[in-house]
Every structure is written in structure tokens, then in C-alpha cells.
Amino acid sequence: MILEIRTYRLKPGTRDEFVRVMREEAVPLLAKFGLSVVDCGPSLVDEDGHEEAYLIRSFATLEQRDEQEEAFYSSREWHEGPREGILSRIETYHTIVLEQTALAPLVC
């Protein structure tokens, strides 16, 4: 399984509404397009005083991730739906994609 972890540094004062739009509008739309959201929400800690949030999604393969993201982000539903409510509140974001292996003790 492939996990994608996306973190968002948000514009000041926008976190609550960002999380609301993400949970109430974007996540249901992602699900409609077959994207599996593991979790999303506000960070419990503000790095350097910045408001932050996260989105974690899972995919069977990297190819599936590419195909589903292309279909979703090019869709009319995204562009006419929650897109502006999400993007207008983001200062920057960072994405990490990793392969989840069977649960075992971690050695880093």
C-alpha cells in the first residue's frame, strides 16, 4: 500500500475553515472519485507559530495514485466545488509518498 502524507501551512486565521471545508466538502468528493482518505485535520502543534493541517491518503499503487489524482484534480466537480475554499487558505504545502510495509518494529 502507498501512503501519501500532505501537510499544509495555512494563512493566519484560516485553519478552522480550511479543516471544515476539507472534511465536509473535499473528503466526500475525494471518496466519490475513489480516493481513500485515511485522516485529515488540524495539527496539534503549530510549527514556529504557523497554523497547519494535514491530509493522509492511501493507494494500492503509485500508478493508481497518479490516475486518481489526475481524474480528481482535472474534474469540474473539484474546480467548481471546494477548490477555492481549500487553495485560498494554503500558504505552502509539502507531500511525502511512501510504501507502507507489514507492521513490524521500526528501525530508523
Side-chain angles (χ1 to χ4, degrees):
M1 175 174 31
I2 304 300
L3 287 178
E4 176 191 77
I5 303 168
R6 188 168 287 180
T7 60
Y8 303 95
R9 178 160 288 174
L10 303 170
K11 295 177 182 174
T14 66
R15 181 173 37 206
D16 290 344
E17 186 62 9
F18 176 88
V19 170
R20 186 200 66 74
V21 172
M22 180 69 75
R23 288 181 174 164
E24 295 178 11
E25 298 178 35
V27 169
L29 187 58
L30 286 161
K32 178 180 173 185
F33 278 82
L35 286 95
S36 176
V37 174
V38 176
D39 197 11
C40 69
S43 174
L44 298 178
V45 177
D46 292 342
E47 184 176 321
D48 298 326
H50 296 281
E51 294 184 14
E52 298 184 321
Y54 66 91
L55 171 67
I56 303 172
R57 301 187 292 192
S58 66
F59 303 90
T61 64
L62 284 173
E63 293 78 19
Q64 180 193 54
R65 175 183 177 263
D66 293 343
E67 291 167 6
Q68 288 181 321
E69 284 194 336
E70 173 63 27
F72 177 77
Y73 289 117
S74 65
S75 74
R76 178 185 54 77
E77 291 95 330
W78 166 245
H79 285 272
E80 293 177 6
R83 182 179 184 272
E84 180 61 26
I86 295 291
L87 296 182
S88 67
R89 293 173 171 89
I90 298 172
E91 196 170 285
T92 62
Y93 73 93
H94 183 74
T95 302
I96 295 174
V97 179
L98 57 121
E99 185 171 16
Q100 180 189 20
T101 56
L103 294 176
L106 291 177
V107 178
C108 296

